[in-house]
Amino acid sequence: MNTQTRDTLNEKKKQLQEELSSFAKKDPNLKGDWDSVYPRVPGGNIEDAANEVRDYESTLSTEFSLEIQLRDVTLALEKLEKGTYGICESCEQAIDKERLEAKPEARLCSVCRAKEENNG
Ligand SMILES: [Zn+2]
């Protein structure tokens, strides 16, 4: 299938990895997982520490969403290899082209995606 999609996904994967590596180090023990570097708390000032923990928490949520994107992009590349790219994981219908153009790593068609969102 189209090499353009593969290029887009590879480019996206590279960007996500770069973004992750800017604030996280790759844990050599956990394949494909990333750990945020915990900030050093200097001096033991409680307010500073609280701020640092808050920063750390927001870093974690950013890291989490980047990890999910990276995982989906990697999965989409695997699907391209297997020839199952662009097929909804839930209903196994083809995902609409517009959706794939907007989000090439999409795993669900828009109908199943909407259902999943409604379920919380
Ligand atoms: Zn579906």
Side-chain angles (χ1 to χ4, degrees):
M1 209 168 104
N2 52 72
T3 51
Q4 204 197 330
T5 308
R6 184 177 281 121
D7 287 351
T8 308
L9 285 165
N10 273 321
E11 188 56 35
K12 204 160 179 176
K13 188 176 174 182
K14 212 174 86 187
Q15 276 172 13
L16 286 166
Q17 282 173 332
E18 271 169 19
E19 219 169 318
L20 271 165
S21 65
S22 71
F23 63 82
K25 64 176 169 54
K26 207 168 201 300
D27 191 328
N29 300 313
L30 291 166
K31 226 177 156 190
D33 203 6
W34 296 74
D35 271 336
S36 289
V37 182
Y38 196 85
R40 242 176 255 274
V41 181
N45 179 317
I46 286 172
E47 251 177 55
D48 281 356
N51 285 337
E52 297 235 6
V53 169
R54 245 199 318 275
D55 285 352
Y56 180 64
E57 278 169 0
S58 83
T59 301
L60 272 190
S61 68
T62 309
E63 185 203 322
F64 187 63
S65 76
L66 286 173
E67 267 183 21
I68 287 174
Q69 282 184 67
L70 181 60
R71 188 199 59 195
D72 286 354
V73 167
T74 307
L75 210 70
L77 281 163
E78 281 172 16
K79 285 182 189 172
L80 272 174
E81 295 303 319
K82 289 183 199 154
T84 57
Y85 178 77
I87 295 170
C88 174
E89 285 182 12
S90 182
C91 67
E92 294 179 358
Q93 301 294 308
I95 301 172
D96 41 307
K97 216 177 155 205
E98 290 79 19
R99 180 159 160 74
L100 284 176
E101 267 165 24
K103 195 173 191 276
E105 75 273 27
R107 299 170 64 179
L108 298 172
C109 70
S110 36
V111 177
C112 294
R113 177 77 189 130
K115 269 191 216 158
E116 198 174 68
E117 275 174 2
N118 288 337
N119 290 339

